[in-house]
Amino acid sequence: MNDNDIDRDEIEREDAERDEDALPPEALRSLSPLAWARYGVSSIAYVRPVVVNGQQAVSIHAADGTPIGAAPTLALANAAILQHGMGAASVH
């Protein structure tokens, strides 16, 4: 195996770990807004357009709204989110 090969077993293990952390639907429905934000803070990120030094950019935020990064394009922002083991949430 070389550096370009995908370790499918590792991906499956990471998916299983994420599933173990998931709350059942009944518990999710009863979360307060603050608890809901904290629930995904380490695994969910969202993006929004911003202007940085007069240039269009995309800011990356944790689920609770904490800014955690920025990128020049949406594609790069999504790539950064995935690279850090987080899921990108689409919010409109």
Side-chain angles (χ1 to χ4, degrees):
M1 182 187 277
N2 63 41
D3 290 340
N4 294 327
D5 290 337
I6 296 173
D7 185 349
R8 298 199 187 284
D9 291 333
E10 183 178 344
I11 292 170
E12 288 175 9
R13 282 191 301 276
E14 289 174 0
D15 287 345
E17 289 172 7
R18 263 187 241 128
D19 290 344
E20 290 174 4
D21 294 337
L23 293 175
E26 309 81 45
L28 290 173
R29 286 187 199 98
S30 65
L31 290 177
S32 70
L34 180 58
W36 180 254
R38 288 182 178 156
Y39 172 67
V41 75
S42 65
S43 60
I44 300 170
Y46 69 92
V47 297
R48 51 178 266 203
V50 294
V51 176
V52 177
N53 297 328
Q55 299 290 320
Q56 291 287 339
V58 180
S59 66
I60 305 168
H61 298 265
D64 67 351
T66 303
I68 57 176
T73 66
L74 179 59
L76 288 174
N78 283 328
I81 291 168
L82 294 174
Q83 184 177 16
H84 286 87
M86 301 177 82
S90 177
V91 291
H92 299 258

